[in-house]
């Protein structure tokens, strides 16, 4: 029962480098989310998806792109990393059972941009 | 818009003390309310939820009551343990956007033996 799996768990990037974070869920959930967690800021929504082939912007989308080519995967890309993108990134998924439905989270990716 | 405000931490307590974490919200209509917990080095997991006014969510000795009049959802536990040390997040899903989940800033709780 894997749930939500994020890869990698840790990464150090140099400014200007690119990378892709992968989120995979095995619960057949329609909704998937990418959040970033920063000290004193809680979780802020970067992008989300309401189904395969769809994506939408959240609160802090600038500098990130996403893709949902397969229902079980949600990719977060950084085209040109900046130190301000140093953060812990969490992926989550959620079923379509309504507004009371629980969200399931991955264990996070700690990204440092130097 | 929709927002959640939590008391800032850290909150430091002794074992067996009473814990309260305040949470208030702003939302259109009547949202669903949640408390999530993040243990060290882990992702968030659902602790409890309430879906309508006066509902009480409870789990693992924690309780929270949906108060429409005060737009609050305060988390309480009568006797904390060292294992309750974690970061606690209040969150809501608005009725008009059932796919959205908005979080508060999180409150770190440290329980000392």
């Amino acid at each position: 029962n894997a749930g939500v799996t994020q890869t990698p768990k840790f990464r150090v990037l140099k400014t200007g480098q690119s990378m892709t974070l992968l989120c995979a869920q095995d619960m057949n959930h329609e909704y998937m989310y990418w959040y970033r967690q920063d000290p004193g800021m809680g979780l802020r929504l970067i992008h989300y998806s309401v189904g395969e082939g769809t994506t939408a912007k959240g609160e802090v989308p600038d500098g990130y792109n996403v893709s949902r080519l397969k229902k079980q995967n949600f990719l977060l890309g950084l085209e040109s990393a900046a130190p301000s993108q140093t953060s812990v990134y969490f992926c989550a998924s959620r079923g379509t059972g309504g507004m009371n439905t629980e969200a399931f989270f991955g264990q996070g990716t700690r990204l440092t941009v130097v | 818009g929709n927002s959640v405000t939590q008391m800032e931490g850290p909150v430091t307590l002794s074992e067996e003390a009473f814990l309260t974490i305040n949470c208030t919200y702003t939302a259109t209509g009547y949202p669903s309310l949640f408390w999530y917990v993040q243990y060290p080095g882990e992702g968030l997991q659902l602790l409890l939820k309430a879906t309508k006014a006066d509902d009480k969510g409870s789990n693992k000795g924690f309780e929270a009551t949906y108060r429409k009049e005060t737009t609050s959802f305060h988390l309480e536990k009568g006797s904390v343990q060292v294992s309750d040390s974690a970061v606690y997040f209040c969150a809501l899903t608005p009725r008009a956007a059932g796919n959205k989940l908005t979080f508060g800033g999180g409150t770190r709780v440290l329980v000392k033996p």
Side-chain angles (χ1 to χ4, degrees):
Chain A
N1 54 344
V4 179
T5 303
Q6 291 182 232
T7 53
K9 290 187 169 45
F10 302 94
R11 185 73 184 268
V12 178
L13 284 180
K14 294 184 178 180
T15 297
Q17 285 185 319
S18 63
M19 77 164 294
T20 300
L21 282 67
L22 172 63
C23 176
Q25 53 96 3
D26 61 2
M27 296 170 283
N28 202 36
H29 285 168
E30 290 292 336
Y31 302 151
M32 295 187 75
Y33 310 83
W34 276 107
Y35 291 90
R36 59 178 289 173
Q37 183 181 28
D38 302 294
M41 306 286 285
L43 272 76
R44 293 182 292 170
L45 183 63
I46 304 171
H47 286 281
Y48 65 99
S49 169
V50 298
E52 182 178 310
T54 75
T55 63
K57 294 180 179 180
E59 301 173 66
V60 288
D62 293 343
Y64 306 96
N65 56 75
V66 288
S67 65
R68 183 102 181 265
L69 298 179
K70 293 183 179 181
K71 185 177 183 179
Q72 63 268 34
N73 296 336
F74 195 30
L75 279 62
L76 178 71
L78 286 73
E79 290 187 349
S80 179
S84 60
Q85 294 177 303
T86 294
S87 187
V88 181
Y89 292 85
F90 286 99
C91 176
S93 72
R94 199 178 189 192
T96 53
M99 56 191 288
N100 309 321
T101 308
E102 176 181 359
F104 293 84
F105 283 79
Q107 290 198 311
T109 297
R110 184 173 295 275
L111 175 67
T112 302
V113 182
V114 298
Chain B
N2 304 301
S3 65
V4 178
T5 302
Q6 290 180 236
M7 59 187 290
E8 289 192 21
V11 176
T12 304
L13 303 165
S14 297
E15 212 165 17
E16 299 184 2
F18 185 87
L19 170 67
T20 299
I21 303 176
N22 290 340
C23 170
T24 57
Y25 66 88
T26 301
T28 305
Y30 303 115
S32 288
L33 301 173
F34 306 84
W35 277 101
Y36 280 81
V37 59
Q38 182 183 29
Y39 298 106
E42 298 184 9
L44 281 71
Q45 56 186 270
L46 181 66
L47 180 59
L48 53 83
K49 66 181 179 183
T51 60
K52 60 182 187 297
D54 300 325
D55 262 4
K56 177 184 284 188
S58 61
N59 187 24
K60 299 182 179 180
F62 288 89
E63 292 183 340
T65 301
Y66 191 141
R67 301 290 188 197
K68 184 182 69 173
E69 314 79 31
T70 54
T71 61
S72 64
F73 192 52
H74 305 321
L75 183 68
E76 297 181 336
K77 186 173 185 181
S79 177
V80 294
Q81 305 300 312
V82 172
S83 57
D84 293 324
S85 298
V87 182
Y88 294 83
F89 292 90
C90 187
L92 68 81
T93 292
R95 188 163 296 273
N99 57 329
K100 291 279 188 67
L101 189 57
T102 299
F103 287 89
T107 302
R108 183 176 299 277
V109 173
L110 177 61
V111 181
K112 296 186 175 180

